[in-house]
Amino acid sequence: MRARRVVGRIGLLLVLQAGVGCKQDPAVGDPSVKAVSLTLDWVPEPEFGGFYAAREAGAFRAQGLAVDIKPRGQGETWKLVAQGVTDFATTAADQVLIAREQGADVVAIFAVYQTSPQGIMVHQARGFARIDDVFTHPGTLEAEDVTWLKFLRRKFPDAPMKLTSNSPGIATFLANPELSKQCFVTSEPLQARTASSDPQTFLIADAGYNPYTTVVIARGEMVRKDPATIRKMILAMRAGWRAYVDDPAATNAVMGKLNPEMDASTFAASAGVQKPLIETAETQRTALGEMTAARWQTLGQQLVELAILKVAAPAEAAFVSLDRLPAK
Amino acid sequence: MKAFLQRWGTAYGPPLVVLIVGTLLLEAYVRWTHVPIYLAPRPSDVILTLHRERAYLLAASWSTAKAALVGFGLSAGVGVAIALALASSAWVRRAFYPYTVFFQTVPIIAIAPMLSIWLAPGLKAVAACAFIVSVFPVIANTLAGLIATDPALVDLFRLYGASRTAAMLKLRFPAALPNVFIGLRVAAGLAVIGTVVAEFLVGELGEEQGLGVVIVGASHNGHSDRVFAAVLLASALGLTMFGAVNLVARRVLRNWHASART
């Protein structure tokens, strides 16, 4: 789902990767703790706030883990996990199923966004009331030809608007009042508002395509052979995200130093926007980051209908939760 | 007929043998080492995909070809014109030549949104990117040829009272043609690269989508066989354009320049 992240920020990524982005947990190197790495599929932003909160507040250390958080950028991070380059990585649920069908032994262990933040932003002046309006009116939609767009194109086969690739940044959106643009509702609309534009957002999830997003994955082999580490990781992330959702300010300050592209007010606004996407009625019954087989099954069926997957494999194999982890 | 086949075999036999042997070796390597398909698809799968999805892939290739040809045509025309202007005077060359390097160094990703706004997304914006990426080699090589004209011949033209324009058109430009074609050969490949990159920044989706859009979508959806099929077609397009430039160069230069006689 990181497909929205255009390559325009590659330079920033390189800087982050070469320098501050490689900051490690102070416990890395301590023989009494287990050192693992977590590769992010973008730069430090609120969507990863809980991971940094877990590091800064000592939640990883409390579980005996030293987690090296590596901001990276777009691309299929699941390949890094499958090839053993990193222990954990963030990706989206549809990428997990795609990876598994390709033979990559990756398993989801934690889902930050229960409701996908993937959306479409339009100019409020157009008077659209719901996402269907984007696909029933002329104009232009900037988006990448990825899973969710295939879903919407299938749902609206006679859409009259012109479809174009997603250009970097928000300049085209600001310049063209008839242009709609893919976004993460936690990111681009906030930039557009700062630029005095009038963005209105619609979640793709409202149209019926809602993969878990910012999903932490691990190698299946690790889940089977070292469930204790997986358990500790889940508990630490849960604590980290709890802390971040409750009070993101301190962690935002830390991430702000790692990602000077985003200012403090945008960090705060983004953390506020994403809160209801992370903490839902479902997670209040269970816990932050929990997933259900029904959601995975639905996603698998949708990807088969879109001819992205050949078969919908059993959902239970794609993810684990604390109660389903091997007892060992 | 026999002579034709012999010539054809001499010209195309070696690269064909390398292609076939290389493909077979790669197929064997991927099968024996069990490289995951998401890292390297089997060549046979890529070939099957090329056959199975030929209508879809050829339509995308045609879109890419159109933009690449427009971009390349602009590079050829504008590049040669700029080189002629730069060669007209040492002062003009010193004043403006450094700025032509802009074309070589400008990150397309930074200016793509502006091109999208000015030209509208689609063919025009994509072709503009292809032009920007491919024009510098034409300028640099043509200029190098123009200013390297034999000074004795330039003096001869001056002695006979030829105007600067006549000297440029009848001596310096013809003498620079081998260099012009070197620039065009490099530009042919760059125009395809520029087009493919531009397509996933400012290209159209849907019926008019090019190979760049196909590559990004297929990559995201885990269809590595389709990714490599599209990459192969982009390479074939670049090769075709390169071959066409070579063909024209041979026709133009064969009667008087050593580079076109072998």
Side-chain angles (χ1 to χ4, degrees):
Chain A
M1 199 56 67
R2 284 289 78 72
R4 76 179 177 116
R5 272 74 193 269
V6 290
V7 276
R9 288 172 166 180
I10 283 174
L12 171 64
L13 296 180
L14 292 174
V15 171
L16 287 169
Q17 194 129 19
V20 290
C22 292
K23 182 187 170 187
Q24 293 185 345
D25 187 303
V28 170
D30 182 342
S32 66
V33 298
K34 186 175 175 70
V36 293
S37 56
L38 167 62
T39 299
L40 309 179
D41 54 348
W42 193 237
V43 296
E45 283 188 356
E47 66 179 281
F48 305 118
F51 307 130
Y52 284 96
R55 186 181 77 181
E56 297 302 314
F60 286 133
R61 213 170 308 124
Q63 293 291 337
L65 296 172
V67 179
D68 181 9
I69 302 176
K70 299 179 176 183
R72 181 175 174 268
Q74 69 176 21
E76 292 95 0
T77 48
W78 56 264
K79 291 180 182 174
L80 301 180
V81 174
Q83 290 297 303
V85 177
T86 185
D87 298 303
F88 302 98
T90 57
T91 186
D94 45 16
Q95 290 294 302
V96 176
L97 295 183
I98 288 167
R100 290 182 61 80
E101 187 166 273
Q102 300 273 311
D105 182 20
V106 294
V107 176
I109 66 169
F110 191 91
V112 174
Y113 289 113
Q114 301 290 311
T115 304
S116 172
Q118 187 74 58
I120 294 173
M121 65 176 178
V122 302
H123 289 278
Q124 209 157 26
R126 297 185 79 185
F128 289 175
R130 53 203 186 117
I131 195 167
D132 298 34
D133 293 335
V134 178
F135 291 84
T136 51
H137 288 76
T140 301
L141 171 61
E142 270 194 10
E144 286 176 321
D145 194 22
V146 294
T147 47
W148 63 264
L149 185 62
K150 287 187 186 298
F151 175 85
L152 288 169
R153 288 175 75 180
R154 188 166 184 266
K155 187 169 180 178
F156 302 100
D158 302 317
M161 79 288 168
K162 182 178 179 182
L163 262 175
T164 69
S165 293
N166 188 41
S167 69
I170 58 167
T172 50
F173 179 78
L174 300 178
N176 185 351
E178 298 295 311
L179 186 136
S180 312
K181 187 174 174 67
Q182 72 174 50
C183 67
F184 260 28
V185 296
T186 55
S187 181
E188 287 88 350
L190 303 176
Q191 296 169 29
R193 203 158 286 127
T194 304
S196 304
S197 189
D198 61 337
Q200 177 184 5
T201 57
F202 300 110
L203 286 168
I204 307 296
D206 292 340
Y209 186 75
N210 186 23
Y212 292 117
T213 306
T214 308
V215 172
V216 178
I217 53 171
R219 271 187 305 289
E221 184 190 21
M222 188 180 194
V223 174
R224 292 185 293 276
K225 291 184 176 172
D226 190 9
T229 297
I230 302 292
R231 181 180 297 275
K232 290 173 182 175
M233 192 71 183
I234 293 173
L235 289 171
M237 289 189 292
R238 197 181 276 179
W241 275 103
R242 181 73 270 153
Y244 186 76
V245 167
D246 290 344
D247 183 8
T251 308
N252 281 347
V254 172
M255 288 193 293
K257 288 179 185 153
L258 302 176
N259 179 9
E261 276 287 294
M262 186 179 260
D263 61 47
S265 62
T266 308
F267 260 108
S270 178
V273 169
Q274 72 179 14
K275 196 171 174 176
L277 308 178
I278 294 169
E279 189 163 41
T280 62
E282 179 74 24
T283 64
Q284 282 171 350
R285 277 196 302 276
T286 55
L288 291 177
E290 281 288 291
M291 296 167 276
T292 69
R295 288 274 304 270
W296 281 97
Q297 197 67 49
T298 300
L299 179 64
Q301 290 293 349
Q302 287 175 325
L303 293 176
V304 169
E305 286 162 16
L306 294 171
I308 291 169
L309 293 184
K310 291 188 180 77
V311 290
E316 286 76 10
F319 77 104
V320 294
S321 51
L322 280 183
D323 60 337
R324 288 177 51 235
L325 272 172
K328 189 169 73 170
Chain B
M1 186 64 186
K2 194 177 170 191
F4 170 78
L5 283 176
Q6 253 178 352
R7 266 206 320 277
W8 195 90
T10 308
Y12 301 109
L16 210 59
V17 168
V18 169
L19 178 70
I20 293 168
V21 173
T23 305
L24 289 174
L25 284 175
L26 188 61
E27 179 82 20
Y29 174 79
V30 172
R31 281 177 184 270
W32 287 343
T33 57
H34 299 292
V35 176
I37 53 169
Y38 57 82
L39 290 184
R42 292 174 184 171
S44 54
D45 286 341
V46 176
I47 292 167
L48 284 174
T49 302
L50 275 170
H51 178 70
R52 193 177 54 242
E53 301 179 9
R54 57 189 179 281
Y56 170 70
L57 289 168
L58 284 176
S61 302
W62 175 234
S63 290
T64 299
K66 280 189 288 187
L69 282 170
V70 173
F72 174 73
L74 282 172
S75 283
V78 176
V80 169
I82 290 176
L84 286 171
L86 293 174
S88 63
S89 116
W91 188 90
V92 170
R93 188 160 62 251
R94 276 196 293 274
F96 290 100
Y97 189 45
Y99 299 107
T100 63
V101 179
F102 165 82
F103 289 112
Q104 193 182 27
T105 54
V106 61
I108 281 298
I109 199 151
I111 60 165
M114 284 180 271
L115 292 173
S116 182
I117 292 167
W118 293 333
L119 302 171
L123 176 68
K124 281 194 278 187
V126 172
C129 289
F131 160 72
I132 289 168
V133 168
S134 63
V135 72
F136 183 76
V138 181
I139 298 173
N141 283 285
T142 305
L143 184 61
L146 289 170
I147 59 181
T149 317
D150 185 347
L153 294 175
V154 175
D155 287 343
L156 187 67
F157 265 60
R158 197 178 301 132
L159 276 174
Y160 278 100
S163 68
R164 285 164 66 95
T165 309
M168 180 64 85
L169 294 179
K170 293 185 175 173
L171 171 64
R172 295 177 71 186
F173 184 67
L177 274 176
N179 286 64
V180 174
F181 284 111
I182 291 171
L184 292 178
R185 284 188 191 105
V186 178
L190 288 177
V192 176
I193 293 170
T195 300
V196 170
V197 171
E199 278 170 343
F200 64 77
L201 297 172
V202 293
E204 272 190 64
L205 270 62
E207 287 177 5
E208 286 297 317
Q209 73 185 26
L211 292 171
V213 174
V214 171
I215 289 169
V216 171
S219 175
H220 182 84
N221 296 330
H223 296 145
S224 54
D225 49 349
R226 191 179 299 152
V227 170
F228 280 86
V231 167
L232 274 182
L233 288 170
S235 303
L237 177 60
L239 206 62
T240 305
M241 287 176 57
F242 180 85
V245 174
N246 264 348
L247 202 66
V248 174
R250 274 179 185 277
R251 298 257 167 192
V252 173
L253 302 176
R254 67 180 168 187
N255 291 329
W256 63 277
H257 200 272
S259 67
R261 286 186 191 147
T262 52

